[in-house]
Amino acid sequence: MISVVIVGTGNVAQNLFYALDKTSNVEVKQIVGRNENHFSFTKGKVPTTTDYTKIDNADIYILAITDDSIGIVAQKIKHIKGIIVHTSGATSITALSGHKQPGIFYPLQTFTKGKIISFAEIPICIEAKTSVDLKLLRELGNTLSNTVIAIDSDQRKKIHVAAVFVNNFTNYMYTIGKEICEENNLDFKLLHPLIKETAAKLEDLTPIEAQTGPAKRNDQKTLHNHLNLIKNNHQRELYTLLSNAIKEKHGKEL
Amino acid sequence: MISVVIVGTGNVAQNLFYALDKTSNVEVKQIVGRNENHFSFTKGKVPTTTDYTKIDNADIYILAITDDSIGIVAQKIKHIKGIIVHTSGATSITALSGHKQPGIFYPLQTFTKGKIISFAEIPICIEAKTSVDLKLLRELGNTLSNTVIAIDSDQRKKIHVAAVFVNNFTNYMYTIGKEICEENNLDFKLLHPLIKETAAKLEDLTPIEAQTGPAKRNDQKTLHNHLNLIKNNHQRELYTLLSNAIKEKHGKEL
């Protein structure tokens, strides 16, 4: 049995709690947060506290809090004994300096308020200072996910950049798609199946293989027509930049 | 029973054939193509021809061919009687001028070579010159899909632009994500669950609501760190442009 204390009450903390609460070989001993009113998601299943001096003993302390708070909270709970990890993709393990057993437990996923998702398919990136600590983090990860991978802070930061492209920037493409639909009285839902299939294609094809469209085909006529249709300057700028990038990537003359 | 002739042997033609062949109230009478060797997908189930003068009579002729060929092929088969449609998002109905019953039958989806997908969830955008023709196209669409929508050529071209953003450009974001993974010896598959969830979120949230990440939070520290990590100039340019766009969209100071 691995004992765990979760520090945090946000989306990641809540999802971790629900997932760990279901496993038979992990005991969530306590949830720690700043605000008494944010504990309702625990439904009274575990003790909670807002007092950092009253943190329970545990094998692993998980700081599921904002990047900026990690260093501050880590300093406040210097007295705890055990492995202390954070769940951030962008934050170095050095944010936990001052602790003997720092580590990382980074679930590579986007968490949405009020949406509980299954951890089984979520890769968990772990890091620790000793092989003993790494082993325990791997054990914890394996209770949740089929994919637990040990990577160092440099690699984690790089995969976090890649995640920004495939998640944050992709979502921005959806934002523009919705804008264009709304400007033309079209229901954005018409694009949902296309969006899903674009993601699903990666099961079978690399993104280079999956690329389609006028830029890939160097179809000047359609590219030109599209630019004539787009009235918004920002959309035009993006359309041109990304089309040129795709043309270049696929070896077409500009 | 609606009788159909399909002109074309590519991904869209093949997918249409497989889907229509399964319905009980549509008869695919013939497949027409330029190359005898490209008919193998029919498995001998329907007659085929490479001779445009030998096209069979049908209620609807579907030109599932490249945008550039639509006008040329339409001219070659001016003798046919019935509704003639093309399946292109970017091409006007006027490409079929010279025919009395031109129309559009545009499945809003990305089709991949060798991959057969279900039409049930694919929106089919239809257009015709008369309500009688539109009714028959709607009937044909309903045999395949739960979503058949009549939109005019202008709207169709606009939704095609939106499709380029959510499909072509999104896939390009995946391409960059994979590049960053490969440069750092990370398996791109680690990002697949994130990519899927990013698309799946749209079931519950608008893209504006679903936006997360350092740009949305105006997290200057992470934005700065990411730019330091990205060595490729093109990736840096994209990162800056898209982050600034997200910051602006979400009302943060630049």
Side-chain angles (χ1 to χ4, degrees):
Chain A
M1 185 71 92
I2 305 172
S3 61
V4 166
V5 165
I6 297 174
V7 182
T9 56
N11 300 333
V12 178
Q14 291 187 21
N15 266 283
L16 273 173
F17 169 67
Y18 292 126
L20 290 173
D21 188 50
K22 274 189 202 146
T23 67
S24 56
N25 41 0
V26 175
E27 183 196 4
V28 179
K29 292 185 79 173
Q30 195 181 37
I31 309 280
V32 185
R34 281 178 302 180
N35 190 326
E36 196 73 53
N37 299 324
H38 295 169
F39 291 132
S40 55
F41 71 92
T42 65
K43 292 176 185 162
K45 280 185 174 180
V46 288
T48 59
T49 183
T50 58
D51 184 347
Y52 290 119
T53 65
K54 288 188 179 157
I55 292 188
D56 209 345
N57 289 324
D59 298 319
I60 303 173
Y61 300 80
I62 304 178
L63 305 190
I65 56 184
T66 61
D67 293 8
D68 285 345
S69 318
I70 293 168
I72 301 161
V73 172
Q75 287 299 312
K76 280 191 188 167
I77 59 171
K78 265 183 148 173
H79 57 283
I80 59 112
K81 278 171 188 167
I83 303 175
I84 178 168
V85 296
H86 70 66
T87 58
S88 162
T91 307
S92 175
I93 194 169
T94 56
L96 304 173
S97 64
H99 285 271
K100 279 188 184 160
Q101 293 170 268
I104 309 291
F105 195 81
Y106 169 50
L108 186 45
Q109 187 53 284
T110 171
F111 294 92
T112 308
K113 198 175 176 182
K115 187 175 180 191
I116 305 308
I117 55 179
S118 160
F119 267 77
E121 305 300 323
I122 301 176
I124 296 177
C125 305
I126 56 170
E127 183 180 356
K129 290 292 180 194
T130 68
S131 58
V132 176
D133 287 358
L134 198 66
K135 187 163 171 276
L136 196 64
L137 289 180
R138 190 180 292 280
E139 208 177 313
L140 181 68
N142 285 336
T143 65
L144 298 177
S145 169
N146 302 320
T147 310
V148 180
I149 177 172
I151 58 176
D152 64 25
S153 285
D154 281 347
Q155 277 184 305
R156 182 165 39 79
K157 286 176 189 173
K158 295 291 177 56
I159 208 163
H160 187 248
V161 174
V164 166
F165 276 91
V166 304
N167 168 254
N168 299 168
F169 294 165
T170 285
N171 186 71
Y172 186 66
M173 297 301 130
Y174 301 162
T175 307
I176 304 255
K178 185 164 192 280
E179 266 175 23
I180 296 170
C181 285
E182 283 173 355
E183 286 160 9
N184 296 283
N185 295 318
L186 291 158
D187 188 350
F188 179 57
K189 279 192 182 146
L190 291 170
L191 292 172
H192 284 193
L194 177 62
I195 285 170
K196 270 194 202 164
E197 176 64 14
T198 305
K201 269 192 175 183
L202 299 182
E203 298 285 328
D204 305 308
L205 300 171
T206 68
I208 286 281
E209 291 165 342
Q211 190 68 57
T212 57
K216 158 76 186 302
R217 295 193 306 273
N218 198 21
D219 173 352
Q220 295 295 342
K221 195 175 141 197
T222 301
L223 291 168
H224 181 78
N225 287 342
H226 278 177
L227 283 173
N228 275 339
L229 287 172
I230 303 172
K231 301 301 172 206
N232 175 307
N233 282 338
H234 169 61
Q235 290 173 5
R236 285 172 63 86
E237 186 191 7
L238 262 185
Y239 188 94
T240 304
L241 179 75
L242 293 171
S243 292
N244 283 342
I246 292 170
K247 283 197 281 188
E248 210 168 334
K249 179 75 66 192
H250 289 269
K252 311 277 178 175
E253 292 279 312
L254 293 192
Chain B
M1 182 73 91
I2 306 172
S3 62
V4 166
V5 165
I6 296 173
V7 182
T9 56
N11 301 332
V12 177
Q14 292 187 21
N15 266 283
L16 274 173
F17 169 68
Y18 291 127
L20 290 173
D21 188 50
K22 274 186 202 148
T23 67
S24 55
N25 39 359
V26 175
E27 183 196 5
V28 180
K29 291 185 80 174
Q30 194 181 38
I31 309 280
V32 185
R34 283 177 303 180
N35 190 328
E36 196 71 55
N37 299 324
H38 294 169
F39 291 133
S40 55
F41 71 92
T42 66
K43 294 180 183 159
K45 282 185 174 181
V46 288
T48 59
T49 183
T50 58
D51 185 347
Y52 290 118
T53 67
K54 291 189 178 154
I55 292 188
D56 210 343
N57 290 323
D59 299 318
I60 302 172
Y61 301 81
I62 304 177
L63 306 191
I65 56 184
T66 61
D67 293 8
D68 286 345
S69 318
I70 292 168
I72 301 161
V73 172
Q75 286 299 312
K76 281 189 187 168
I77 59 172
K78 265 182 149 173
H79 57 285
I80 58 114
K81 280 172 189 165
I83 302 174
I84 179 168
V85 297
H86 70 66
T87 59
S88 161
T91 308
S92 174
I93 195 169
T94 57
L96 304 173
S97 63
H99 286 271
K100 279 189 186 158
Q101 294 170 267
I104 308 292
F105 195 82
Y106 169 48
L108 185 44
Q109 187 52 285
T110 172
F111 295 92
T112 308
K113 199 176 175 181
K115 187 177 181 191
I116 306 306
I117 54 179
S118 160
F119 267 76
E121 306 299 323
I122 302 176
I124 297 178
C125 305
I126 57 170
E127 183 180 357
K129 290 290 180 195
T130 68
S131 57
V132 176
D133 288 357
L134 198 66
K135 188 167 171 274
L136 196 65
L137 289 180
R138 190 181 292 280
E139 208 178 315
L140 181 68
N142 286 336
T143 66
L144 297 176
S145 168
N146 303 319
T147 310
V148 180
I149 176 172
I151 58 176
D152 64 24
S153 284
D154 281 347
Q155 277 186 305
R156 181 166 39 80
K157 285 176 190 174
K158 295 290 177 56
I159 209 165
H160 187 247
V161 174
V164 166
F165 276 92
V166 304
N167 168 254
N168 299 168
F169 294 165
T170 285
N171 186 71
Y172 186 67
M173 297 301 130
Y174 302 162
T175 306
I176 304 255
K178 185 163 192 279
E179 266 176 23
I180 295 170
C181 285
E182 281 173 355
E183 286 160 8
N184 296 283
N185 296 317
L186 290 158
D187 187 350
F188 178 58
K189 281 193 182 144
L190 291 170
L191 292 173
H192 283 194
L194 177 62
I195 285 169
K196 272 195 201 164
E197 176 65 14
T198 305
K201 268 190 175 184
L202 298 182
E203 297 287 327
D204 305 307
L205 300 172
T206 68
I208 286 280
E209 291 165 342
Q211 190 68 58
T212 57
K216 158 76 187 303
R217 294 194 304 273
N218 199 20
D219 173 353
Q220 295 296 342
K221 194 175 143 197
T222 301
L223 291 168
H224 181 77
N225 288 341
H226 278 177
L227 283 173
N228 276 339
L229 287 171
I230 302 172
K231 302 300 172 205
N232 176 308
N233 283 338
H234 170 62
Q235 290 173 6
R236 284 172 64 85
E237 186 191 6
L238 263 185
Y239 187 94
T240 304
L241 180 74
L242 293 170
S243 292
N244 283 341
I246 292 170
K247 281 197 282 186
E248 209 168 333
K249 180 74 65 192
H250 290 267
K252 311 280 180 175
E253 292 279 315
L254 296 189

